[in-house]
């Protein structure tokens, strides 16, 4: 998926829809969001195991 997103980002810069900084910024925000969701899911799983 990372490769597909890089190709999509490159194509959007190539055709002039976005600046390269837009693509880099969105990759950064997407990565941070992914890490936050992963941490939240791990925390919820641990809480669920303690309840059982």
């Amino acid at each position: 998926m990372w490769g597909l997103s890089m190709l999509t980002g490159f194509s959007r810069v190539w055709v002039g829809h976005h600046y390269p900084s837009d693509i880099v910024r969105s990759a950064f925000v997407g990565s941070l969001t992914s890490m936050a969701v992963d941490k939240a899911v791990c925390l919820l799983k641990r809480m669920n195991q303690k309840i059982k």
Side-chain angles (χ1 to χ4, degrees):
M1 291 306 289
W2 185 252
L4 286 174
S5 66
M6 293 297 289
L7 286 174
T8 302
F10 177 76
S11 69
R12 291 195 170 267
V13 171
W14 185 265
V15 297
H17 284 267
H18 293 285
Y19 291 109
S21 61
D22 295 341
I23 304 302
V24 171
R25 192 177 317 120
S26 65
F28 180 71
V29 170
S31 296
L32 284 179
T33 303
S34 173
M35 289 187 289
V37 168
D38 184 52
K39 296 286 183 186
V41 167
C42 289
L43 179 64
L44 289 173
K45 282 183 181 179
R46 272 192 255 134
M47 289 173 58
N48 192 23
Q49 288 176 351
K50 287 182 180 182
I51 292 172
K52 289 181 181 181

